Amino acid sequence: VAQRSKFELLSLVADETANAVLITDARGCVAFANKGYERMSGWTVQEAEGRPLAELLLADAGEVRTLANRSAASAREIS
């Protein structure tokens, strides 16, 4: 019974934390994503679950690079 309570508490923490939590299966696909990940990444939980983690990380990194390039271009235009 104590072991089950620990798992329930851990599950609650993963669901409720503001931090992003992703859990992958043995194949490296997302088996669990929380609302913190959804808020931080822009991917919905439904979109993330089942996808390879590498796909999500590469997409997120590409988006960050794109935003950085746009910011740099805007700064050059202002100068």
Side-chain angles (χ1 to χ4, degrees), residues 56-74:
L56 297 176
L57 295 177
L58 290 173
D60 290 346
E63 188 172 304
V64 168
R65 282 194 298 273
T66 299
L67 291 173
N69 291 339
R70 287 184 193 158
S71 294
S74 294

Side-chain angles (χ1 to χ4, degrees), residues 18 20 22 33-45 47-48 56-57 59-61 63-64 67:
L22 290 172
N34 71 345
K35 292 291 185 181
Y37 175 76
E38 188 174 88
R39 181 181 48 75
M40 294 172 106
S41 71
W43 292 86
T44 67
V45 169
E47 290 171 329
L56 297 176
L57 295 177
D60 290 346
E63 188 172 304
V64 168
L67 291 173

Side-chain angles (χ1 to χ4, degrees), residues 10 15 17 21 24 26 29 35 38-39 50 53-55 63 72-74 76 78-79:
L10 181 58
D15 282 338
T17 185
V21 176
T24 59
C29 293
K35 292 291 185 181
E38 188 174 88
R39 181 181 48 75
L53 179 60
E55 180 182 322
E63 188 172 304
S74 294
R76 284 192 300 272
I78 294 171
S79 301

